[in-house]
Amino acid sequence: LGGVAAGMSAAARAKRLDPDLEVCVFERSGYASYSACGLPFYIKGDVTDRARLIARTPERFAADGIQLHLRHEGVAIDPPARTVTVRDLVSGAQRDVAYDRLILATGAEATRPNVPGAHLPGIFTLRTVEDADAIKAWLATHEPKHAVVMGAGYVGIELAEAIHAHGIDVTVIEAQGQVLPALDPDLAVAVQLRLEAAGIHVQLGTSLTSFVGAGFVEDVVARVLDRLEPTSLNGDTLRVRGNTLRLRGDTLRMREVVTD
């Protein structure tokens, strides 16, 4: 179970040790044996063809006697019966597959922080080819002007550079006191200086508390408008309880509006 680096390496090794083995690999995503380290460079555009990220195709594995099933997920294991229940994520069909040896190589997954708004549109994790496709599609469709990368580890730094290359203002937020926390501090400072020289903003010692999306802002504006008690109207200025709202076309600009 699992068909990226560890799973496919184990499958290939087993086949080399005993060419008569029947080796089956089930991978939940649509890609196996791909370069996860290359995903930020695919987003940046240095890697223009997604196929270059794929080390070996299912057809290549089949030629070596390894049956690779993409978009299949293991959902249950019965150790006494030596079977694993596998679900086809395309059709939804399930079947039991017998095994003599079972290797679990499902790896990890990128977790979203447990804070309000973590599942709003425009918030992504990066671990799979599908994740990279989603980020590229968002950049092309929405043409954002600003981006925030949470975490200044290796992938975070590479992703910040990739997004910045699209002409986007990027801020990297890191909870610890330096970028690349695994590095010695003097090396981390050199990396941070290089980032800032390239125009990427870095905020250290900063923790994430919530994500605020358009829906939240619209709700706040609606609740403010519901409580308004106009006292005078002059041109584009509406006096409200001593505060000022300026209306310009379809844009509502609020100055010192306070809600209880």
Side-chain angles (χ1 to χ4, degrees):
L1 297 181
V4 191
M8 299 316 301
S9 296
R13 177 64 174 164
K15 197 66 177 177
R16 284 195 298 269
L17 290 174
D18 185 352
D20 294 329
L21 281 178
E22 179 186 358
V23 180
C24 296
V25 180
F26 298 95
E27 164 58 35
R28 182 170 58 182
S29 75
Y31 302 89
S33 192
Y34 60 84
S35 171
C37 296
L39 294 177
F41 305 101
Y42 170 56
I43 293 171
K44 181 181 178 182
D46 288 344
V47 177
T48 57
D49 184 0
R50 189 204 291 127
R52 293 181 58 195
L53 298 174
I54 311 302
R56 302 180 77 190
T57 63
E59 293 75 20
R60 175 72 179 277
F61 282 112
D64 294 335
I66 298 173
Q67 303 173 39
L68 172 59
H69 304 273
L70 298 177
R71 297 186 179 86
H72 282 70
E73 180 180 33
V75 295
I77 300 172
D78 187 344
R82 288 180 177 265
T83 62
V84 56
T85 303
V86 177
R87 176 187 296 133
D88 184 331
L89 297 179
V90 176
S91 67
Q94 292 190 177
R95 61 189 174 100
D96 293 334
V97 180
Y99 66 84
D100 297 308
R101 295 289 187 272
L102 175 64
I103 298 176
L104 299 180
T106 52
E109 62 182 1
T111 58
R112 290 175 180 264
N114 186 24
V115 298
H119 293 278
L120 286 168
I123 299 174
F124 303 93
T125 58
L126 178 61
R127 189 169 184 87
T128 67
V129 177
E130 287 87 349
D131 292 339
D133 283 338
I135 294 173
K136 282 179 67 71
W138 184 273
L139 295 179
T141 303
H142 295 270
E143 299 182 348
K145 299 296 186 294
H146 305 276
V148 173
V149 176
M150 300 302 306
Y154 296 113
V155 175
I157 295 298
E158 292 170 350
L159 184 58
E161 182 205 6
I163 296 175
H164 186 260
H166 289 271
I168 297 171
D169 185 69
V170 178
T171 299
V172 178
I173 304 241
E174 170 57 49
Q176 298 192 44
Q178 66 176 58
V179 301
L180 298 175
L183 287 185
D184 290 338
D186 55 339
L187 295 177
V189 168
V191 174
Q192 179 179 346
L193 292 176
R194 183 62 178 268
L195 287 170
E196 293 173 337
I200 297 174
H201 313 293
V202 178
Q203 292 187 17
L204 303 176
T206 304
S207 299
L208 173 67
T209 58
S210 66
F211 295 98
V212 178
F216 176 84
V217 175
E218 291 165 359
D219 179 63
V220 171
V221 172
R223 286 189 284 113
V224 170
L225 294 178
D226 286 342
R227 298 171 62 87
L228 294 183
E229 296 178 1
T231 56
S232 65
L233 180 63
N234 179 18
D236 67 349
T237 300
L238 181 67
R239 300 293 301 177
V240 183
R241 296 179 183 172
N243 298 309
T244 302
L245 297 179
R246 297 191 179 277
L247 306 180
R248 297 173 180 171
D250 60 356
T251 301
L252 176 64
R253 299 185 181 276
M254 292 182 288
R255 177 181 297 173
E256 298 181 63
V257 175
V258 179
T259 61
D260 357 342

